[in-house]
Amino acid sequence: MSDIIQILPDSVANQIAAGEVVQRPASVVKELVENAIDAGSTAIKINLKDAGKTLIQIIDNGCGMSATDARLSFERHATSKIKAAKDLFAIRTMGFRGEALASIAAIANVELKTKRTEDELGTHLVIDGSELISQDSVACPSGSNFIVKNLFFNVPARRKFLKANSTELRNIITEFQRITLSNPDIEFQLIHNDVEIYNLTPSNRRQRISNVFGRSINTRLISIDTNTSIVKLTGFIGKPKNAKRKSDEQFFFVNNRYMRHPYFHKAVLLAYDKILPPDTVPPYFIFFEVDPNIIDINIHPTKTEIKFEDEQAIFQIIQASIREALGKFNIVPSIDFDEDNSLEIPVANQDSSEIGVPMIKVNHEFNPFEADTTYNPFAGEKTYNPFEQEVNSIEHNQFYQEFKPKSKPSQSSSPKKDVPKDWDKLYQDREPDLIPDYPIGGQKEVKRPPMPDYFQPKEAPQNQIQQQIFQRENSANSQSFFQLKNKYILTPVRSGLMIIDQRKAHERILFEKFRNSVENNQGIAQQTLFPQTIEFNASDYTLLQVIIEDVKALGFDIREFGKKTFVINGTPADIQNGDPKELLENLLENYKVNQLDVKVKVRENLAKALAKASAVNYGKSLSSAEMSAIIDQLFACETPNYTPDGKTIVSVLETQELDKRFR
């Protein structure tokens, strides 16, 4: 039997390695830009076509390469960053494995133009699928110019599973943000389909964060600065009120390298314990400076998973640093012991005689119902004070004269007014809407003011079984509803007591309205008094460009206006008194959260996101008419028991359970 083990060709080995190093166009951008940073570049330009599927071009002004180095750079495990195994414990460069260029060349058409400053001519290389096509001398600027075309052209299965251009572009923007935040002293430019997305000039860290995520974030940042023998922490954290559900503004950097670290992320959340809104994550940009000897970067080819030698100690340092920063800026409640209204604690005089037990005297002859009583609580008795030997009775008499209770007139002295017999005629000529909101003598039916449009009851459900389960008692009586903690609506039903979550119920109602509107393109916009202009970061701006038509179908009157800005002229008519800017930002945030479920369609996702963003909040007091309308509309929905996310809306506390508790 012949031998069956053989060494794979380099082209096949490179394609296998590319499966870990190059997962999508964003991976190519990351590897090439990091190489440009290691080359000492001060300006880097990124040019994309079709979210990197057609073209990725990286131009830098770094040190460049000689003809020999340019050719060797595409070989596996060829690198200038390390020379021996001991160098792995002192890595400060972004790359060191020597696999990126070989992996990229194995699954794309690559063209490189590079020149060193001291050379007159540069080198031009063309490689297709790990095969060298040509190598020539060329006149070009100093630095390197990488052109990657037709990514995954020879791996159709990988190209088939690439996402839509909008999704791949957002992934590239995410990688771009991670690199630019850790290198604020370098100029970056990002262009997609001849449209400039970012143009970042050299700046400090705080200004770079504002340039990447928008100017509004600058006022929401709190600086941290802690220096210990283990690690030095610097950077910024966000205020608790600006926390969001989507975790897209959380960054850890170690020695200017982006990293993911769930354990340290937990430390940040614990530092914000009990001051964050539920299900939200605060923004943070935390930079670690440590000795390279105490970290291990060589865990995964992406180099985003990093191990620390003493993680528990750093965990405590992170918590302490964040809590200190929050305390300095009065974010967390504090106790001030120097307040003017602080509690005075009496101290006994050391020279006084022995302190006795206080005595309480009661006048059993006092009658509080006597009209002309002149009872003096201080008369005829001496008030005992354990810290004073004598009490001045004159001062007590003066106190009593000033604050003594006033005598009530007897009932006989108060004239009784007769009620006129024809009092009900006073209300005959009044408008029905002006009649008080209560029955008057049972003579006239009360007409209440009309309720808001978004609380108008719908047609009751036709399902007879559902009616039997959820039919309310005395539905016409407004007193059959009441609100608990401004969060739950309680109403009696045949089987017991029904408890309804007001926010989740309103979310279900709005979801079905918005879903019908967006499916039928019948969204009605309510025009705002003054149009609002909103500036988005590049990721949200790109997302909104993709879903803009569906957003308009929901009822938004919105149009693009200039660079990364939109103008809102109207909002959906079903939403009352909502800030258009906040509403649209919450819509995008919830949309991105729901995108984690690939089964959710775009339009249904939009309806869910807008319903969650505009539902009535907890803590809002509802009138009886509003509570009644919510219940009527809820049980007119297709699925009244659950929110679009599958959370419970209605719970019934049965009478048997109540009887069991009171037995």
Side-chain angles (χ1 to χ4, degrees):
M1 184 176 179
S2 61
D3 298 331
I4 60 175
I5 296 178
Q6 58 183 348
I7 299 176
L8 293 174
D10 288 342
S11 60
V12 178
N14 289 339
Q15 287 190 14
I16 295 173
E20 291 184 342
V21 179
V22 183
Q23 302 173 359
R24 50 174 48 94
S27 305
V28 177
V29 173
K30 171 182 179 295
E31 298 294 342
L32 294 181
V33 172
E34 287 182 349
N35 284 343
I37 294 173
D38 289 337
S41 304
T42 59
I44 301 174
K45 180 180 179 181
I46 305 169
N47 189 17
L48 307 172
K49 295 287 186 183
D50 301 327
K53 297 177 183 178
T54 304
L55 171 69
I56 299 175
Q57 183 180 22
I58 311 295
I59 305 173
D60 67 69
N61 61 351
C63 63
M65 292 181 283
S66 65
T68 303
D69 289 342
R71 178 65 188 91
L72 288 175
S73 65
F74 287 94
E75 298 295 330
R76 291 190 68 199
H77 309 302
T79 179
S80 62
K81 315 300 171 57
I82 60 174
K83 295 181 179 180
K86 63 179 181 179
D87 296 335
L88 291 173
F89 303 101
I91 294 176
R92 289 193 176 273
T93 56
M94 303 298 292
F96 58 89
R97 297 173 64 95
E99 291 182 334
L101 291 181
S103 300
I104 294 170
I107 44 86
N109 308 125
V110 180
E111 183 178 349
L112 169 63
K113 293 180 181 179
T114 182
K115 185 180 83 71
R116 296 183 298 182
T117 306
E118 61 270 21
D119 295 336
E120 294 183 359
L121 293 176
T123 303
H124 181 206
L125 280 142
V126 178
I127 300 177
D128 285 346
S130 296
E131 181 182 353
L132 179 64
I133 304 300
S134 64
Q135 179 174 351
D136 303 311
S137 298
V138 65
C140 61
S142 299
S144 299
N145 183 350
F146 281 91
I147 300 175
V148 180
K149 300 178 181 178
N150 303 323
L151 193 63
F152 299 120
F153 79 98
N154 55 355
V155 190
R158 180 66 65 86
R159 187 175 182 87
K160 178 181 177 181
F161 286 100
L162 289 178
K163 305 297 182 181
N165 287 352
S166 59
T167 304
E168 296 298 342
L169 179 59
R170 289 202 303 274
N171 290 329
I172 292 175
I173 290 174
T174 299
E175 292 291 348
F176 180 85
Q177 291 172 347
R178 294 170 179 173
I179 296 172
T180 56
L181 290 175
S182 59
N183 297 276
D185 55 335
I186 299 178
E187 177 184 346
F188 288 95
Q189 188 178 11
L190 177 62
I191 299 174
H192 178 247
N193 291 342
D194 299 325
V195 177
E196 185 180 84
I197 299 177
Y198 280 113
N199 190 351
L200 306 176
T201 58
S203 60
N204 56 39
R205 284 179 177 173
R206 189 176 193 122
Q207 187 176 354
R208 175 57 60 89
I209 294 172
S210 299
N211 292 336
V212 171
F213 292 99
R215 292 181 297 241
S216 60
I217 198 174
N218 187 44
T219 59
R220 307 198 299 261
L221 297 179
I222 301 172
S223 60
I224 60 173
D225 190 355
T226 302
N227 195 358
T228 67
S229 58
I230 301 175
V231 61
K232 180 180 180 182
L233 288 183
T234 56
F236 304 92
I237 58 174
K239 297 179 181 178
K241 64 179 181 180
N242 302 121
K244 298 181 179 179
R245 295 181 62 217
K246 180 68 175 176
S247 56
D248 56 355
E249 294 180 358
Q250 290 74 38
F251 295 89
F252 285 126
F253 301 95
V254 54
N255 295 341
N256 288 338
R257 180 193 302 276
Y258 172 79
M259 72 169 179
R260 294 188 184 96
H261 210 295
Y263 187 57
F264 291 166
H265 176 74
K266 183 179 179 181
V268 175
L269 296 184
L270 288 177
Y272 281 88
D273 190 27
K274 298 181 181 179
I275 59 174
L276 278 179
D279 301 326
T280 58
V281 185
Y284 57 79
F285 309 87
I286 301 179
F287 297 82
F288 298 75
E289 293 184 23
V290 299
D291 186 349
N293 292 323
I294 67 171
I295 61 175
D296 185 6
I297 301 173
N298 191 24
I299 297 175
H300 191 271
T302 58
K303 302 182 284 293
T304 56
E305 299 178 16
I306 298 176
K307 293 293 183 182
F308 287 76
E309 186 176 301
D310 195 350
E311 292 186 345
Q312 292 185 352
I314 298 177
F315 184 95
Q316 300 296 332
I317 293 171
I318 293 172
Q319 273 192 286
S321 179
I322 293 177
R323 286 177 177 171
E324 179 186 12
L326 293 174
K328 285 181 179 179
F329 288 87
N330 296 324
I331 303 299
V332 294
S334 58
I335 301 176
D336 188 358
F337 294 97
D338 298 327
E339 289 184 350
D340 295 336
N341 297 327
S342 58
L343 180 65
E344 294 185 3
I345 303 176
V347 180
N349 187 357
Q350 299 297 332
D351 297 333
S352 61
S353 59
E354 183 179 357
I355 299 175
V357 179
M359 303 297 294
I360 300 175
K361 295 183 179 181
V362 180
N363 185 359
H364 298 283
E365 298 180 358
F366 172 68
N367 186 354
F369 299 101
E370 292 181 0
D372 297 329
T373 180
T374 57
Y375 171 69
N376 184 350
F378 299 105
E381 68 180 62
K382 182 177 180 181
T383 303
Y384 180 78
N385 188 336
F387 303 113
E388 296 181 5
Q389 296 302 315
E390 294 183 0
V391 178
N392 191 342
S393 59
I394 299 177
E395 294 180 357
H396 282 290
N397 290 334
Q398 292 176 351
F399 175 85
Y400 171 71
Q401 292 297 329
E402 183 177 355
F403 294 98
K404 69 179 180 179
K406 307 298 182 182
S407 299
K408 295 182 179 180
S410 61
Q411 294 181 356
S412 59
S413 61
S414 174
K416 183 177 180 180
K417 297 182 179 179
D418 296 332
V419 179
K421 295 180 180 181
D422 54 349
W423 61 269
D424 54 335
K425 295 181 180 179
L426 296 172
Y427 296 94
Q428 291 181 358
D429 298 332
R430 297 185 62 179
E431 294 294 333
D433 289 346
L434 300 179
I435 298 177
D437 195 16
Y438 53 86
I440 304 176
Q443 300 296 326
K444 188 175 289 291
E445 183 179 356
V446 178
K447 181 178 179 182
R448 293 189 176 89
M451 66 185 69
D453 293 339
Y454 55 94
F455 282 124
Q456 290 293 341
K458 286 186 176 180
E459 189 178 3
Q462 301 299 323
N463 191 331
Q464 297 297 327
I465 298 177
Q466 185 173 322
Q467 287 181 353
Q468 292 177 4
I469 296 176
F470 297 110
Q471 185 174 3
R472 294 175 279 114
E473 298 176 352
N474 303 324
S475 59
N477 185 1
S478 64
Q479 295 183 355
S480 61
F481 315 105
F482 67 93
Q483 204 176 8
L484 178 64
K485 300 289 187 181
N486 286 341
K487 184 176 183 180
Y488 300 104
I489 300 174
L490 278 65
T491 183
V493 293
R494 288 181 177 178
S495 58
L497 182 66
M498 180 189 295
I499 306 172
I500 299 174
D501 188 302
Q502 68 182 40
R503 176 172 174 79
K504 293 178 181 178
H506 198 205
E507 183 181 334
R508 163 54 68 176
I509 295 168
L510 292 176
F511 167 71
E512 297 200 2
K513 282 185 178 180
F514 295 143
R515 186 181 60 184
N516 294 334
S517 297
V518 74
E519 288 178 354
N520 301 322
N521 290 324
Q522 295 178 349
I524 301 175
Q526 179 179 355
Q527 297 298 314
T528 58
L529 186 60
F530 299 103
Q532 287 198 18
T533 302
I534 307 177
E535 181 182 359
F536 293 96
N537 61 51
S539 180
D540 290 344
Y541 172 75
T542 305
L543 175 61
L544 189 54
Q545 280 183 315
V546 175
I547 62 175
I548 185 66
E549 295 302 325
D550 293 327
V551 170
K552 290 180 179 178
L554 287 171
F556 281 94
D557 184 357
I558 183 173
R559 61 184 176 86
E560 191 171 353
F561 181 75
K563 184 179 178 181
K564 290 188 286 189
T565 59
F566 283 86
V567 175
I568 301 179
N569 296 313
T571 57
D574 292 308
I575 301 174
Q576 301 292 327
N577 301 325
D579 181 14
K581 179 179 178 181
E582 182 180 356
L583 182 63
L584 190 58
E585 289 177 347
N586 291 337
L587 168 64
L588 294 178
E589 181 181 342
N590 289 312
Y591 181 87
K592 288 186 287 186
V593 172
N594 297 336
Q595 267 191 319
L596 298 177
D597 186 359
V598 296
K599 299 178 181 179
V600 179
K601 298 180 181 179
V602 174
R603 293 194 166 190
E604 183 177 342
N605 190 356
L606 275 174
K608 288 174 59 177
L610 184 56
K612 188 177 290 292
S614 55
V616 60
N617 287 322
Y618 296 126
K620 177 178 175 57
S621 178
L622 302 178
S623 66
S624 299
E626 291 172 336
M627 287 188 284
S628 177
I630 284 182
I631 295 177
D632 290 339
Q633 292 183 64
L634 176 64
F635 293 112
C637 294
E638 296 178 2
T639 311
N641 292 352
Y642 301 98
T643 65
D645 296 331
K647 297 179 181 178
T648 303
I649 298 175
V650 180
S651 179
V652 177
L653 186 60
E654 297 184 356
T655 306
Q656 296 178 354
E657 176 67 20
L658 291 172
D659 293 340
K660 187 184 300 184
R661 295 191 179 203
F662 285 100
R663 284 174 186 168

